Amino acid sequence: MSSWILTALIAIPLVGALFLAGAPRKNEGLFRWGSLAFMAVNLVLSISLLSSSWETPGLRYVVDIPWIEQFGIAYKVGLDGISLWLVLLTTLLTPVALFASWLSVNQRIKEFAIAFLALESAMIGTFVALDLFLFYVFWELMLVPMYLIVGVWGGKDKIYAALKFFLYTMVGSLLMLVAILYVGSQYHALTGIYSFDLQDLSRVALPYSSQIWLFSAFALAFAIKVPMFPFHTWLPDAHTQAPTGGSVILAAVMLKLGTYGFLRFAMPMFPLAAHYLGPTIAAIAIIGIIYGAFCAWMQKDVKKLVAYSSVSHLGFVMLGIFSLNASGVSGAILQMVNHGISTGALFILVGVIYDRRHTRLLSDFGGLAAVMPLYAVLFVITSMSSIGLPGTNGFIGEFMILAGTFASNALQPWSRIFVLCAATGVILAAIYMLHAVLKMFWGPVTHEANKALKDINLKEGLALAPLMLLVFWIGLFPNHFLKPMESTVEQYLARYQSKLVEINRDDSLRLLPPELASGAAAPIDEEAEQQAEQQAAARKPSGDHYVVGALEAGSHTVSATAR
Amino acid sequence: MLDLIIRFSPLVLVLVGAAAVMLADAFSDKGQSNDLSTVTFWAFVGASGGAIGLWVQGDTMALHPLVAPFLAADPMALLLDAVIAGAGAITALLAGAYLREHQMERGEYYVVMLLAAFGAMVLVHSTHLLSVFVGLETMSLGVYSLAAFRRTSPRSVEGAMKYFLLGSFAAALLLFGMALLYGATGEMELAAIATALVEGSAHNTLALLGTALITAGLAFKVGAVPFHMWSPDVYEGAATSVTAFMAVVVKVAAFTVWVRIAVVALSAANLADPFSGWPPLVMGLAVASMLVGNLSALVQTNVKRMLAYSSIAHAGYIMVGFVAYAHSAAGGDEGAGDQALSAMLLYLASYAASSLLVFGSLIWAGSKGKEVVSYEDLKGLGRRHPWIGVAMMVGALSLMGFPPTAGFIGKYYLFQSAVNVGDGLIPLVIFAVLASAVGAFYYLKLIVVMYMEDQEQEAAQAVPMRSVHLWAAIGLAAYFVFRIGIAPGNYMEIAIGAARAL
Amino acid sequence: MGIGEYLALGSILFGIGATGFLTRRNVLIQLMSIEIMLNAVNVVFVAFNRFMPSNHMGQVFAFFVIAVAAAEAAVGLAIVIAFFRLKKTVVTDAGDSLRN
Amino acid sequence: MNTSGLMLFWVSAAVALGSAVGTISMRNPLRAAVSLLIHILSLCGIYLSLKAHLLATIQVLVYAGAVVVLFIFVIMLIGPTANEQRAPRAVGTRILGAVGALLSTSVLAFTLVRHDAQLLPIPQCPPGAGAECGQFGGVTAVGAELYLGSMVPFELVSILLTVAIVGAIAVAKGKTTATSPKNEGPTTPEGAA
């Protein structure tokens, strides 16, 4: 029965949306609390996912039922160590974002709640989908509620921002659709049957030239979503125009779908292309890190600053992913969560001040520390987390990514240069964040209107509390979060390497043996379990403190996979 | 005789419906209100049911020799009968709501509509040039007069006149093509033409010329660029219920007969060669239609005109399926060919459902004296009347090709079948998806004006009409949009079956 | 004397009709041009039939074309009358209330 | 084909071409209609030269007797406004249209004539041939083909005529007054229908 948890996670918000759609418009409280109640149920349910034995790699909670049988399209969902935290991030941050929104959204509450519920459902679906067709459906479905959230409840340029967001994403995803269709038809050509199951499609070994094209199509869709430089231009618009809750979800969860897409689909399916284009993408990611940081520095609007900082931070995530070793990849996954928490919190904080002053310009503030001490403390903590100060979550993620990049085999011979440049990004992050903090909180109160500002209230505090908790929890006990993904990441990398070797052997269209497929369910037969246990035992000596061992682990991967 | 009536029960039922409407209209008192639209609706439902029943029964008995050369009763015809009758049923309800609201209800409307639909159904059954011609003209004459039905409106009559003139011109082209094909082969039955062409006893040049002219004539009927000039004007001018009927029924029937002619008659290797026969011609039409349709739709201010251009673009997408068919047929891959054809059929059905939903919502949004025609009229509608907004949004998303609606499945299936042909068509598919991304812009504009723009206080607000007929029509259309969108499996099966039997 | 002359006649007549249709702006003349085109097609049909006399399908088709042309003329002229009532002209260029 | 047949063809063809050009170039629609009448009658000659006797008769009955009369009737109904005023606009496109149409037609005609050689000569009835050969184009043979072989389309044409009649009535019956094109909603009720 427990395998239906994922389906329930998708279905509960949807049921909630339908329920609220039928409810009478007058009762505002129903929509505010009802939507939160559905999300809370989802959150509790998703926490139960942690109870699985995460020492073994592979997918669990797999449900696989045929949907469109003519094309082998199935409703197939499952969860592994990579998607686990992202699902939890979604179930946690959606209610937080919605709760934070209730402070400022006063009109069309019914539709707002419905849009959020639908959005949550689609996002979870995207994270757990293992069938490419299903993935595409959820991926597209996500667009509509977000489009409406930005376009209906947004700021004054909301229509432009919403359209830009929608069209950018749609162009990318349509090309991805063509690529999906192409791989599907290649699988059909090889086997005579259709399938869009990741497990099946990842067995198709394609020649180099088609891999490059297909990977590029996937990469474009995901890079737009991430967003990577130079496809990032929709992001500042969408973020600044979106209502607070929309910005939070957009930054905290939706951007992760791009990086997740690289990890889950683009790289395992086209390892050869990923191998050859990897350094280029990493270089672009670094350009993004530095470019985003500089842009953030230049901003006069705090919300835009946070938006550009996302471009920079997600550059780190991309770098970690393409470093292709345990430290880099798990750092990237953790950093996805971290960025969700810290940027989400930042957007909420920006929303708080905007609600009071109706401006977000840095020059309109100053000396707020004296007026709103608690707010200042929270803002500084979040900034530290965003910068990556030791003790906060940001540090762990960025350190692991940098360590992974340093030791990366895939990024040779540029890995050291990459680390150097990326480290500049960390410094720049400190500069622009501290610059903002300084301008907003230090010095005398320069504006009359700022003198009477109320400090953070209970509701706002409640919205921020879980995020603050997580900032320190991840910062101080990273192993709680790294452990569940450890085995999955290692298995992921091993598969990736062996598939790469296998494909490199012969540049022709063929079907790989099933053991090279991605997206296989967790082993349930005894032999495989024993094997997994042995693997787990073999990993033990690397020490409990995974972070410290990151460098070692990185070099270990290098030697193990040296070809 | 009884056997024939049963075999062609969809057509017969539509005719009976027309007769019933005519009688009811003739023998009723002046002031007495007749619900002719309901009669029409049930006639269409009966026809649709008849087609489904015949499909289920799966009768393959030979037809009477007098009928056999002209009309087939094969699965494809039955499937399209069901689609046309279903669309007819929904448009009958729309007409019942629209005409009454705007006070132009007259009995002739339903008679002409039923007979035009009859023509369309004859067209999808046709296996002979003669019945193709007669069916096409029956349908067209009916639609011409429906387009001019709102005769107090200069726009309506003007659009109808343009449509009539260009339509007759295209019919003449088609006819000339048929004459040349007849001259080349000495045959008029589609299958016999194919035999003559394949055996090589035909005159090649005549056949090629004939093929080109027939393609041009049919391209006109489906509204493909460069034969599309009539469609924006007539879409805009005609009463909205007529536009809906025209957009769906004419397009579906014309595409079906095109499929039949191309697949059955023009299948000879030299004519259907992917690089020198009609396929490159169709490919050119497809590319031009997608390009011109989408780009022109971007700049429209009138929603009906926008939908006209969007229907041109949709014709372009459907023709991608045609090209895919030609390529796979030339490659000898029968399975892929059937798939491409069935993708076209499914696309037609999904296009029908989503168009009807959009047109229905457009009708819904306007009431007497305040018809909704421009984006301006729709401003803020989604906020004031959420259900209309939702209905139109779903329709627009479906036309855009967004999951989980019928439009997405249609596009998916079509593009999948084109990709399956091999690498040769990938550029075309990429072009098509990029074109549909352009298309997204103007469909989103609908959502933008409905939800995101605020209406000025002094501007006249659109007041929705209230009609049970209309709600029923919207409900039906929405049902099919989601039904095909979420569980398309058995529809695909049916479409494949129809294509295979062709 | 072969079929060539007939085909040439038919296609030239068709071309004359098409030219008239494309160049004239008087709806009535345009309708007449269409009639010329349909008649040209009939000539082609009947000519082909003469050279393949195993049946009369070409001639039969010509019958149908004549019947359809008559029906088309009826509907077309009805639309022309409706147009005339509204516009007091039969020139298609006067149809400019559309496209803006 | 004998000499009288040839004569018939060439004379009819010349008249048909001349009258067709006349039809499309006349300013006065009434004259154009008369020219069309001549065109239609001249085609009878062509049909006769092709041994399509029944068709030639029908051509006179239906076309000359009905269609052209309908045209003339409508022209009379409309009155002097039916004359085309000189339209200054779009001369360029018209010339382009004319050139295009004539060019494509001549290409068509040329191609068709060139392929004359491939086609069979007109089959002549051999001396002592059966009744069937002699019957070509006759009332019995064509009638059998029309009413038996093509019974189905023949019946379908009855529907076509019905739709044409009802459609024409729907469009043109009764008096209509225009609503302003600006206010697209048909706010005024339909005229007495």
Side-chain angles (χ1 to χ4, degrees), chain B residues 156-179:
Chain B
S156 168
V157 176
E158 239 174 80
M161 201 171 76
K162 207 172 220 174
Y163 187 25
F164 172 80
L165 287 173
L166 290 168
S168 308
F169 184 72
L173 287 183
L174 183 74
L175 215 47
F176 201 40
M178 286 180 176

Side-chain angles (χ1 to χ4, degrees), chain A residues 100-101 103-104 244 350-359 460:
Chain A
S101 298
L103 307 168
S104 54
T244 300
V350 172
V352 164
I353 196 78
Y354 183 77
D355 288 342
R356 287 169 173 56
R357 280 283 276 116
H358 294 284
T359 175
E460 291 158 346

Side-chain angles (χ1 to χ4, degrees), chain B residues 303 307 353-363 391-392 395-396 399 446:
Chain B
V303 179
L307 288 170
S354 18
S355 283
L356 288 173
L357 188 54
V358 171
F359 280 115
S361 322
L362 210 57
I363 289 175
M392 194 169 309
L399 285 176
L446 271 181

Side-chain angles (χ1 to χ4, degrees), chain A residues 67 70 167 182 185 194 196, chain B residues 402 416 420 423 441 486 489 493:
Chain A
W67 176 19
Q70 286 83 357
L167 291 177
Y182 185 82
S185 88
Y194 282 102
F196 283 90
Chain B
F402 217 78
Q416 174 82 64
N420 283 349
D423 293 1
F441 192 85
I486 291 171
E493 205 60 63

